Amino acid sequence: MNAKQKTRHILDIIAEMFPDAHCELRHDNPFELTIAVLLSAQCTDETVNKVTADLFRKYKTPQDYLSVELEELEQDIRRIGLFRSKASNIQKLSRILIDKYDGDVPRTHDGLVELPGVGRKTANVVMSNAFDVPAIAVDTHVERVSKRLGLAKADDTVLIVEQKLMKLVPRDEWTLTHHRLIFFGRYHCKAQNPQCAICPLLDICKEGKKRMKPANKTKNKSSN
């Protein structure tokens, strides 16, 4: 099985496991999505959604975020990790959107990554989910799963992982693959206690096979 065949096998399996994979950050427009992804850094989507449920009722536009003192915005998102720096970035980002883009989120990757608090991953998420531009955003789940399944090497940087996935995955499947890899990593191939024993991809997962060996050795010892 060559790299392309292996990738196709993986994509088909995770498609069967998570056919309805999607962006779990709740949002109604590109601006809300940008804010939500910014807040999600080092934080779970579940927590972000709890915070934005109230946040997005209070703040509708970039100007709304600038109409309050920084301290008030900090309190509104204080359940989020790094809430002080994120609040500051939201206000700086809002100012740029008003001054440079008439209050709208830029529709280009270059425009997005220039915004405070918006890195390559965030830009990819916004481009793919808000503007339907194919992209693969590499978060911790995508990186972990890609390396465990041999789609990338253990020491590859996030950028290299993204580049390798872009070469291996058909372009029209980039966005969906991003979501399915996240679901696979979030609900099945978890960082701690991955479900190797029932994994349909165990046969091509070197790390999974290593994890299963101690269990097999223990079983053999107990049977002797």
Side-chain angles (χ1 to χ4, degrees):
M1 184 183 304
N2 61 35
K4 286 285 186 179
Q5 292 172 326
K6 177 182 177 180
T7 302
R8 185 71 265 162
H9 175 62
I10 292 171
L11 297 182
D12 290 344
I13 292 295
I14 63 174
E16 292 176 5
M17 295 176 70
F18 302 103
D20 301 317
H22 60 279
C23 178
E24 293 191 295
L25 291 171
R26 299 193 189 110
H27 63 281
D28 289 326
N29 54 63
F31 180 55
E32 288 186 353
L33 178 59
T34 302
I35 298 299
V37 183
L38 183 155
L39 292 174
S40 71
Q42 299 182 40
C43 185
T44 65
D45 287 1
E46 182 180 6
T47 299
V48 172
N49 285 334
K50 289 178 181 178
V51 170
T52 56
D54 293 326
L55 192 73
F56 291 162
R57 278 194 289 268
K58 180 176 181 178
Y59 304 96
K60 302 290 186 183
T61 67
Q63 186 58 54
D64 292 339
Y65 285 99
L66 294 173
S67 66
V68 300
E69 294 295 327
L70 178 60
E71 291 73 17
E72 181 175 343
L73 180 55
E74 288 177 350
Q75 289 306 305
D76 289 334
I77 64 170
R78 68 188 315 273
R79 286 181 288 172
I80 299 284
L82 307 174
F83 69 91
R84 289 191 176 87
S85 63
K86 290 178 181 179
S88 177
N89 282 332
I90 288 173
Q91 287 199 331
K92 292 175 182 176
L93 174 154
S94 295
R95 172 51 60 194
I96 292 174
L97 293 185
I98 291 172
D99 293 345
K100 192 172 180 179
Y101 299 102
D102 295 323
D104 295 325
V105 173
R107 302 175 70 92
T108 67
H109 195 278
D110 289 343
L112 285 165
V113 295
E114 289 179 353
L115 300 174
V118 176
R120 185 175 183 85
K121 184 202 78 172
T122 300
N124 282 346
V125 172
V126 174
M127 289 298 293
S128 59
N129 290 280
F131 303 130
D132 294 322
V133 177
I136 297 179
V138 180
D139 68 352
T140 55
H141 298 298
V142 175
E143 180 181 9
R144 180 177 68 255
V145 169
S146 297
K147 292 180 177 181
R148 283 180 174 176
L149 294 178
L151 298 176
K153 294 181 179 179
D155 59 351
D156 282 346
T157 64
V158 171
L159 180 57
I160 291 177
V161 172
E162 178 186 335
Q163 292 170 339
K164 286 186 174 180
L165 289 176
M166 289 169 67
K167 289 181 179 179
L168 291 168
V169 179
R171 189 174 189 274
D172 61 351
E173 296 182 48
W174 286 358
T175 299
L176 193 52
T177 294
H178 156 72
H179 293 313
R180 286 174 175 165
L181 287 174
I182 287 178
F183 268 54
F184 185 79
R186 181 176 288 160
Y187 301 114
H188 181 79
C189 189
K190 304 173 184 179
Q192 302 296 327
N193 301 316
Q195 299 178 48
C196 300
I198 59 171
C199 184
L201 291 172
L202 181 62
D203 60 321
I204 61 172
C205 180
K206 291 182 180 180
E207 184 169 335
K209 290 177 180 177
K210 289 179 181 178
R211 286 176 180 272
M212 295 303 293
K213 280 183 179 179
N216 292 334
K217 287 181 180 179
T218 301
K219 185 185 295 185
N220 291 334
K221 285 183 179 180
S222 61
S223 63
N224 291 336

